[in-house]
Amino acid sequence: MNKKQAIFWTDSALVPLFLLTFYTGVKLHVAGHGADHAVWHYWAVFHALAGFVFTLFGTIHVKDHRGWYKGLKNRGVNGRARMVLALSFIAVLVVATGVALLLWGDGANTPIGLLHYKTGLVTGLLGVLHIFKRRRFFTGNFKMDRKSRFPRRLSTPRRRDLYTAGRTDRGAFDRSADT
């Protein structure tokens, strides 16, 4: 598998993992209001596992796109970059509070648990916006290449060489005029 394929499959796996992590987090919060501790515990374990796998793929995703982060020095922070940076910083906070809950927290209704829940909601909103801005990547803008089983973009403009583009009005680009 080449680098583009790895990036594609990592990005594709992040969407359902994001939805699963967000869903289990909300269900965990709702279960915390119930009387059955076992149900809360099951959702906590499921959420921790989903969050771990999502964090693993998210780390790979950020590593794959580290050039984008490095390019911020030259480009500056504007437009879509602000949202992605906000998502990155808040996701780090969610992961940090999640790890703190696993290691030192008592869980439900602790200040760090509520901070994790609130930052998780913000991450959910920013994550949905992040996915929505890239929806063409996940919709029918691709055609499956049968040989590689890797989707290729249909709308990619083809590069044309001015010398071989089949034009008859080459003018100054005509190589035969130089000889």
Side-chain angles (χ1 to χ4, degrees), residues 5-178:
Q5 290 172 330
I7 290 172
F8 174 78
W9 292 114
T10 300
D11 293 353
S12 296
L14 275 171
V15 174
L17 286 171
F18 164 73
L19 295 172
L20 181 66
T21 304
F22 186 75
Y23 176 75
T24 57
V26 171
K27 290 297 277 187
L28 174 62
H29 181 75
V30 170
H33 293 291
D36 192 0
H37 180 74
V39 172
W40 178 87
H41 181 75
Y42 294 139
W43 280 112
V45 170
F46 193 28
H47 180 65
L49 291 173
F52 174 75
V53 175
F54 177 71
T55 302
L56 179 70
F57 275 84
T59 304
I60 294 168
H61 176 78
V62 170
K63 183 180 171 236
D64 287 340
H65 298 291
R66 68 185 169 271
W68 181 87
Y69 288 97
K70 288 179 181 178
L72 285 176
K73 291 178 187 176
N74 298 333
R75 272 193 322 270
V77 180
N78 56 17
R80 192 188 320 187
R82 280 191 205 133
M83 183 185 70
V84 175
L85 276 179
L87 176 62
S88 299
F89 287 127
I90 198 91
V92 167
L93 184 59
V94 169
V95 170
T97 57
V99 169
L101 279 171
L102 284 173
L103 297 178
W104 304 292
D106 290 333
N109 295 323
T110 61
I112 198 155
L114 293 175
L115 177 64
H116 181 74
Y117 174 69
K118 290 175 184 177
T119 54
L121 290 177
V122 173
T123 303
L125 175 65
L126 291 175
V128 167
L129 291 174
H130 185 72
I131 293 167
F132 184 73
K133 287 273 192 175
R134 289 145 184 85
R135 69 187 174 275
R136 284 189 319 171
F137 182 77
F138 298 105
T139 59
N141 233 3
F142 287 91
K143 180 179 179 181
M144 291 303 287
D145 187 0
R146 290 184 183 173
K147 290 182 180 178
S148 68
R149 292 189 212 159
F150 180 67
R152 59 183 169 83
R153 190 174 292 278
L154 290 176
S155 61
T156 303
R158 295 180 186 205
R159 293 183 183 179
R160 292 186 176 247
D161 183 8
L162 291 176
Y163 299 113
T164 59
R167 295 178 53 179
T168 57
D169 59 335
R170 290 183 189 159
F173 296 110
D174 191 6
R175 288 185 180 168
S176 62
D178 295 337

